[in-house]
Amino acid sequence: MLRKKSLLAFREAKKYIAGGVNSPVRSFKYVNSNPVFFKKGDGCYLTDIDNNVYIDCVSSWGPLLFGYSDKDLINSINKCAVNATTFGAPTILENQMAKKIIELVPSIDMVRMVNSGTEATMSAIRLARGYTRKNMIMKFSGNYHGHGDSFLTKSGSGLMSLNLPNSLGVTKNIAEETLNAEYNNIQSVKNLIKAHRNKIAAVIIEPIAGNMGLVKSDISFLQQLRAVCSENKILLIFDEVMSGFRVAKGGAQEIYGVLPDITTLGKIIGGGLPVGAYGGKKEVMEYLAPNGPVYQAGTLSGNPLAMSAGLSILNKLNNKVYDKLEEISSEIEFGINKIIKKEKINAIIQRQGSMMTLFFTKLKEIKNYNDAQKCQTEKYSEFFKIMLDKGIYLPPSQFEAMFISTALNKNDINKLIDACNFAFKKIK
Ligand code: PMP
């Protein structure tokens, strides 16, 4: 498959845009390749600027639950744009969006709209700090919560050691206020709480992680995490920017039956427009300005275009949608697993609903970041490139999840599985 125009466009982009892209993973650097420039999406089909067509398994990193060019979404956006793209003043659409989120997400009584997932998580920890009057936060290695300074940290050699920035520009002081525990390891959480008693404002977690590949929490781990946070007056934040409305109508918290104090959302609530949100218990949310002492604001927050786009998607969510996503995704999982066995490839699939990752590993399961780091990333890169040439667009990193939309039909699924068969034979 030739991608000459994409190559030229990337060469030009690198002259004017830092690294040639507006978000690093798009550069295909993590699969040692060059990015594809797209010009059109239709259902699950993507067309690049060289007129190659791909079956899409990324859904713009999650937002496009129903695939590209969803008619309801486009009509909503068009209808809204005629009136205004923004007022910077309240609209009824914001009330409708807030009510919809509260109806769907079990733990949310009150909500605030923002413009990205990063903004949601940054605001959520400020709120938690203000509410608890404590400074430290805890997160889990391998989880991603956007690019806020507090989240760009990694642990030192041991869990109890000080944390270090993992980006230049993040100060040591900020990094030291973020603790990193091990995913699915409650003892690591307890140890950190013991070492920093009465100092931790919040624990933030992806209850179903998509940022070290797809890794689920164990239910008992999540239940114990809830209990330990309550015992220590620590707010529990579920970052459901990816899992919200994707794995179930009410996100991971609906599946697990474990309720956080604050939830962060993004992606699907904007239907592909830039949106984020955070919400939780009324008592906590009332701490926000203008009524409360924690400041957070946004010129474009809750803007009508994004609200109408998101509402057009949220209003369509019902059990049938999730049944369909499950049917398509389980068929893909089944088909690939069959080839893994047949070709004796060292690989496993981890999946929750329409989010899944094919890990190239000898391990039977990936439970945390340590496990994920042992994967054969070069194998994934090879696999990715062959699949791309066969017209299958996968996430350009071993440590990202596939997001399947309802737009794939039987034929698409078969093409995907056939391409996989071909790719596995090549990389054996
Ligand atoms: N939280 C999670 C769990 C995410 O996956 C992401 C982005 N993929 C973010 C937060 C940040 O969202 P955004 O890219 O919209 O800032």
Side-chain angles (χ1 to χ4, degrees), residues 118-405:
T118 295
E119 219 187 304
T121 54
M122 278 167 38
S123 309
I125 58 164
R126 182 184 303 143
L127 175 59
R129 283 172 163 148
Y131 180 77
T132 60
R133 306 199 189 229
K134 296 187 274 186
N135 287 345
M136 298 185 97
I137 60 157
M138 190 192 300
K139 70 175 193 65
F140 293 87
S141 297
N143 279 192
Y144 177 71
H145 305 291
H147 65 89
D149 284 2
S150 298
F151 304 117
L152 297 181
T153 72
K154 59 183 172 192
S155 5
S157 50
L159 264 182
M160 309 299 286
S161 67
L162 285 181
N163 288 291
L164 311 161
N166 62 6
S167 161
L168 279 184
V170 175
T171 64
K172 205 168 132 273
N173 289 355
I174 287 182
E176 280 172 8
E177 291 197 325
T178 302
L179 303 166
N180 282 281
E182 188 175 64
Y183 202 71
N184 277 324
N185 178 349
I186 197 66
Q187 197 52 49
S188 76
V189 175
K190 288 181 178 167
N191 290 348
L192 287 170
I193 291 177
K194 203 167 156 200
H196 303 277
R197 200 163 280 291
N198 298 325
K199 291 193 183 141
I200 303 171
V203 172
I204 184 164
I205 185 167
E206 285 181 78
I208 293 170
N211 286 294
M212 47 183 160
L214 195 281
V215 181
K216 292 187 242 184
S217 305
D218 293 333
I219 180 140
S220 67
F221 165 72
L222 217 52
Q223 285 166 340
Q224 288 179 75
L225 184 65
R226 173 66 277 181
V228 110
C229 283
S230 299
E231 278 159 28
N232 291 280
K233 298 194 166 46
I234 295 170
L235 294 187
L236 178 59
I237 304 173
F238 277 4
D239 183 351
E240 298 227 46
V241 166
M242 269 184 179
S243 55
F245 315 109
R246 164 71 51 194
V247 295
K249 262 192 309 210
Q253 54 195 270
E254 180 186 308
I255 292 177
Y256 284 89
V258 176
L259 301 188
D261 301 297
I262 302 176
T263 302
T264 56
L265 298 165
K267 302 198 189 247
I268 289 173
I269 36 167
L273 269 72
V275 185
Y278 61 111
K281 291 185 179 148
K282 190 162 182 275
E283 185 197 333
V284 178
M285 295 303 288
E286 298 269 36
Y287 258 66
L288 289 173
N291 292 347
V294 176
Y295 194 71
Q296 183 269 312
T299 302
L300 295 177
S301 292
N303 93 81
L305 268 192
M307 294 305 95
S308 56
L311 275 167
S312 78
I313 300 297
L314 296 189
N315 285 334
K316 291 205 287 191
L317 300 183
N318 57 39
N319 293 343
K320 268 197 196 146
V321 170
Y322 294 94
D323 288 348
K324 182 153 191 205
L325 288 168
E326 177 63 28
E327 191 188 313
I328 297 169
S329 310
S330 61
E331 226 171 286
I332 294 172
E333 179 188 25
F334 181 78
I336 301 179
N337 268 335
K338 223 162 120 182
I339 314 169
I340 289 176
K341 244 189 179 164
K342 181 170 69 88
E343 299 296 333
K344 298 193 175 58
I345 302 279
N346 286 322
I348 54 168
I349 298 180
Q350 294 193 174
R351 180 176 77 85
Q352 178 69 51
S354 57
M355 286 172 77
M356 70 179 113
T357 299
L358 169 67
F359 290 100
F360 285 93
T361 180
K362 286 185 177 161
L363 297 174
K364 296 250 173 310
E365 190 185 359
I366 305 292
K367 287 184 85 69
N368 55 41
Y369 186 52
N370 247 340
D371 294 347
Q373 279 187 314
K374 290 180 195 141
C375 288
Q376 297 172 287
T377 49
E378 339 69 56
K379 269 257 145 66
Y380 184 84
S381 301
E382 256 185 276
F383 172 74
F384 169 86
K385 284 184 262 192
I386 299 168
M387 293 293 276
L388 193 66
D389 280 342
K390 283 272 163 193
I392 311 291
Y393 184 62
L394 297 174
S397 163
Q398 169 71 96
F399 303 119
E400 302 281 356
M402 286 160 74
F403 295 92
I404 303 298
S405 75

Side-chain angles (χ1 to χ4, degrees), residues 9-54:
F10 190 44
R11 206 171 289 162
E12 190 183 22
K14 281 195 278 193
K15 290 188 208 157
Y16 309 116
I17 303 170
V21 285
N22 286 310
S23 196
V25 74
R26 286 180 207 173
S27 68
F28 281 25
K29 196 173 173 176
Y30 309 128
V31 284
N32 300 315
S33 191
N34 292 301
V36 183
F37 281 59
F38 292 113
K39 63 176 183 187
K40 170 124 187 84
D42 183 14
C44 70
Y45 307 118
L46 289 170
T47 308
D48 72 12
I49 56 173
D50 289 281
N51 287 325
N52 299 307
V53 178
Y54 306 83

Side-chain angles (χ1 to χ4, degrees), residues 50-71:
D50 289 281
N51 287 325
N52 299 307
V53 178
Y54 306 83
I55 293 171
D56 174 42
C57 300
V58 179
S59 301
S60 186
W61 302 104
L64 307 175
L65 203 60
F66 299 106
Y68 284 83
S69 0
D70 180 80
K71 286 205 171 49

